Amino acid sequence: ENEYDLCTFIESTSKYLLFRELDREINMEIIDLFHYLFNEKKIINAYMFGACLKIVTRFFQKFQQKKSRAEIDPSDLSRNIKARSYLDTNVSSHIPINNLLDIASMSQTKFGRLFKLVFNISPGEYHKKVRIWKSKELIEEGHSVSGAVVAIGYTNHSYFTRTFKMEFGLTPSEYISELKTLSKSISE
């Protein structure tokens, strides 16, 4: 009876399964595992079985969606690196996406997808991090917070402060105080 219930459940939820796309050995292991769990009354109802099955399926979906860096066309990789270099060297203002698309010679969708795949961050988030780290560097060199804000092209001081705090855990003023405290303790 349990065997029949299991097979019926698998057939009724086949849209969630990737069994057809997985390696045959993995298929058999998963099926054996569920047979064992079901027969040993470890999973007592179809809902629990379905929840476990969905988790396993989502894991394999995510696994299959991950494209390795080795599968990226070398010219696409090179153009993404050029676009990232452009972001690294242009910290004084917001960069329109069209500038990056021209450098990468890609559609916005392809560029965004490959950039995130290669660098594990979106182009916009990457540029925001580069700019905020540059501001930290400027503050460490003795620039005022206002000077750092202007140098990295932020126009909204409170947005800059929130972004800085999200990245470093301190507001710029708190960071300057920490630097002064550290400097005093080193000089003593």
Side-chain angles (χ1 to χ4, degrees):
E1 183 180 308
N2 285 344
E3 186 78 24
Y4 175 76
D5 291 342
L6 177 67
C7 292
T8 303
F9 184 78
I10 288 175
E11 288 170 15
S12 69
T13 59
S14 62
K15 67 180 180 181
Y16 297 113
L17 301 177
L18 289 176
F19 290 152
R20 290 176 299 281
E21 289 141 312
L22 295 176
D23 182 87
R24 185 164 172 67
E25 257 182 67
I26 295 172
N27 289 340
M28 296 311 296
E29 290 292 328
I30 291 171
I31 290 170
D32 287 347
L33 172 66
F34 286 122
H35 280 269
Y36 168 78
L37 292 172
F38 208 80
N39 289 330
E40 294 294 317
K41 307 251 189 279
K42 302 282 185 201
I43 297 178
I44 55 174
N45 62 42
Y47 174 78
M48 292 287 291
F49 177 75
C52 292
L53 192 58
K54 284 179 185 177
I55 290 169
V56 170
T57 300
R58 286 187 183 132
F59 167 78
F60 283 108
Q61 284 173 334
K62 291 286 185 191
F63 182 77
Q64 286 181 333
Q65 287 171 358
K66 284 285 184 187
K67 189 175 184 182
S68 77
R69 287 175 177 85
E71 294 176 31
I72 297 172
D73 182 80
S75 65
D76 287 344
L77 180 61
S78 174
R79 291 185 302 217
N80 261 275
I81 291 170
K82 283 181 188 173
R84 188 180 96 171
S85 294
Y86 184 78
L87 292 172
D88 289 338
T89 57
N90 291 281
V91 296
S92 63
S93 66
H94 171 75
I95 297 175
I97 188 70
N98 289 340
N99 293 13
L100 298 174
L101 298 177
D102 289 344
I103 292 168
S105 300
M106 293 179 197
S107 70
Q108 186 171 349
T109 304
K110 182 177 181 180
F111 174 69
R113 183 176 42 82
L114 288 177
F115 193 96
K116 182 145 182 146
L117 182 66
V118 172
F119 303 114
N120 207 28
I121 191 171
S122 72
E125 283 297 309
Y126 179 80
H127 194 232
K128 186 165 75 170
K129 281 186 177 293
V130 167
R131 292 168 75 193
I132 214 70
W133 276 86
K134 180 63 177 177
S135 73
K136 179 179 176 263
E137 184 181 305
L138 292 170
I139 290 169
E140 289 169 352
E141 291 171 359
H143 290 79
S144 68
V145 174
S146 296
V149 169
V150 169
I152 64 165
Y154 272 63
T155 55
N156 184 328
H157 198 280
S158 62
Y159 177 70
F160 167 78
T161 300
R162 281 194 313 272
T163 305
F164 192 96
K165 185 169 184 168
M166 282 176 39
E167 185 69 25
F168 303 113
L170 299 168
T171 66
S173 300
E174 292 169 340
Y175 184 68
I176 290 171
S177 294
E178 290 289 320
L179 286 175
K180 287 178 181 175
T181 303
L182 183 61
S183 178
K184 274 186 187 177
S185 67
I186 291 173
S187 63
E188 291 175 349

